[in-house]
Amino acid sequence: LVSGVNKVAAENPNVSVKVVEAGFDQSKWPEQMMALAATQEYQWILTSNPSLPAVCKDVFTAFPKQKFIFMDGYLTGNPMTYSVMYNQVEQGYMAGYLAGLVTKSSMKGATPDLKVGAIVAQEYPALTTEMIPGYTQGFKAVDPAITLDYRVIGNWWDANKAADLANSMMDAGVDVILSIAGGAGQGTIKAAQARGRYIVYFDSNVYKLAPGTIIGCATLDQERAVYETLKKAVQGVLQFGKADVLNTKAGYVDFADQDPLYTSNVAPDVVAKMADLMKKFRSGSFSLPVPKM
């Protein structure tokens, strides 16, 4: 997000940027957003979190002239806002399809049990209505008999709890775990690494964090989306009041399948089947709808 914004600023000397880190405690976000808008210093307040449109409800009333750009959020019909939501049903499906293929494979870390896992930091609408349902559709497409072990940490930083949850899952036969847990995900990764099991990761290409343990990365090109969106705002052509959904065919959602740390650590037959899936996603011959907001 920040690199996308800074790229626009570098191309437009009249644009200056201030970066504000809101922290992990979401209960403080409404007050922080109200204080930021109250300065009346910013033409646009640009954020990235699915919770932010709801967080800003009272801010809209207090400062009706403030413009907001919500990346990774969805709100339509408000002339103060423009928002972008990524198709994370498709993103979840990619991760789930890979997890399903691996749990059924002869890869070294695969167990006889048809069980996959997901460890998340906390629950929020995009997770419960898009990511996990997409993940489930993905592994069920491989084999309807595959089951999900789903655990919630309760925060974004407790790596020790994440490791405990991961070990409990692995004790029960889980061999592939989807991690959507921020900094806490380090605990999941280290636990899987120690026991020779596998991690599927969301949003970024992070194979290098644990080669051979992280065996799939379903990615979002947020830098590109932020750059294109803010550039339109600077040019005065961004359509406030509108909300867009960005998908795989358009290149904003993808799977990092060209990285040698993926191709060299995943069974060739799994790589081939994932390549077939991604060919369909990227061409648009296969797509998945997002739930109506």
Side-chain angles (χ1 to χ4, degrees):
L1 177 130
V2 174
S3 59
V5 170
N6 285 337
K7 187 176 178 181
V8 175
E11 295 175 359
N12 296 272
N14 60 321
V15 175
S16 60
V17 179
K18 179 179 180 179
V19 179
V20 178
E21 171 57 60
F24 288 115
D25 187 351
Q26 291 194 18
S27 67
K28 296 179 180 178
W29 290 3
E31 180 182 351
Q32 291 173 313
M33 186 61 78
M34 187 72 78
L36 193 63
T39 66
Q40 299 185 53
E41 295 178 8
Y42 307 104
Q43 188 164 356
W44 310 288
I45 295 176
L46 189 150
T47 74
S48 178
N49 186 284
S51 303
L52 263 297
V55 164
C56 292
K57 183 178 179 181
D58 291 337
V59 185
F60 298 150
T61 302
F63 299 99
K65 294 183 179 180
Q66 178 65 59
K67 290 289 193 286
F68 295 85
I69 299 172
F70 297 118
M71 308 302 298
D72 199 15
Y74 191 89
L75 179 66
T76 186
N78 185 327
M80 299 169 61
T81 74
Y82 171 80
S83 62
V84 165
M85 181 173 71
Y86 302 99
N87 188 328
Q88 294 190 289
V89 179
E90 293 184 348
Q91 186 184 20
Y93 190 100
M94 297 168 196
Y97 195 74
L98 175 66
L101 292 173
V102 171
T103 198
K104 288 195 61 128
S105 76
S106 58
M107 288 174 60
K108 185 177 180 181
T111 69
D113 303 277
L114 295 180
K115 296 180 180 179
V116 299
I119 296 179
V120 304
Q122 60 188 46
E123 294 188 309
Y124 48 94
L127 178 91
T128 56
T129 63
E130 294 180 61
M131 301 175 195
I132 297 301
Y135 183 62
T136 303
Q137 288 180 59
F139 65 71
K140 291 289 186 183
V142 176
D143 189 332
I146 299 172
T147 60
L148 174 64
D149 191 335
Y150 174 73
R151 311 286 181 100
V152 181
I153 300 166
N155 60 62
W156 293 87
W157 62 84
D158 193 342
N160 289 331
K161 184 174 180 180
D164 289 343
L165 293 176
N167 279 310
S168 175
M169 281 183 174
M170 291 185 286
D171 288 343
V174 168
D175 44 22
V176 187
I177 301 173
L178 171 65
S179 177
I180 308 177
Q186 290 296 322
T188 307
I189 293 169
K190 289 186 181 302
Q193 208 168 18
R195 297 180 62 168
R197 307 288 175 85
Y198 303 116
I199 298 292
V200 183
Y201 206 85
F202 242 48
D203 292 354
S204 304
N205 179 340
V206 293
Y207 294 116
K208 64 183 179 181
L209 292 180
T213 298
I214 299 175
I215 46 92
C217 296
T219 63
L220 299 178
D221 195 349
Q222 173 139 273
E223 181 176 352
R224 173 189 166 196
V226 169
Y227 171 76
E228 293 173 350
T229 299
L230 186 56
K231 186 175 180 179
K232 289 179 182 177
V234 171
Q235 294 170 342
V237 296
L238 189 64
Q239 297 181 43
F240 284 89
K242 186 181 179 185
D244 285 319
V245 179
L246 305 180
N247 63 10
T248 309
K249 182 182 179 182
Y252 297 94
V253 181
D254 210 346
F255 182 78
D257 54 4
Q258 299 304 306
D259 193 310
L261 293 178
Y262 163 72
T263 53
S264 63
N265 287 296
V266 176
D269 61 325
V270 173
V271 171
K273 290 174 183 176
M274 280 300 296
D276 288 342
L277 174 69
M278 292 312 303
K279 184 177 180 179
K280 295 174 184 176
F281 264 131
R282 289 166 181 154
S283 70
S285 64
F286 179 61
S287 61
L288 296 167
V290 295
K292 290 184 178 180
M293 295 292 119

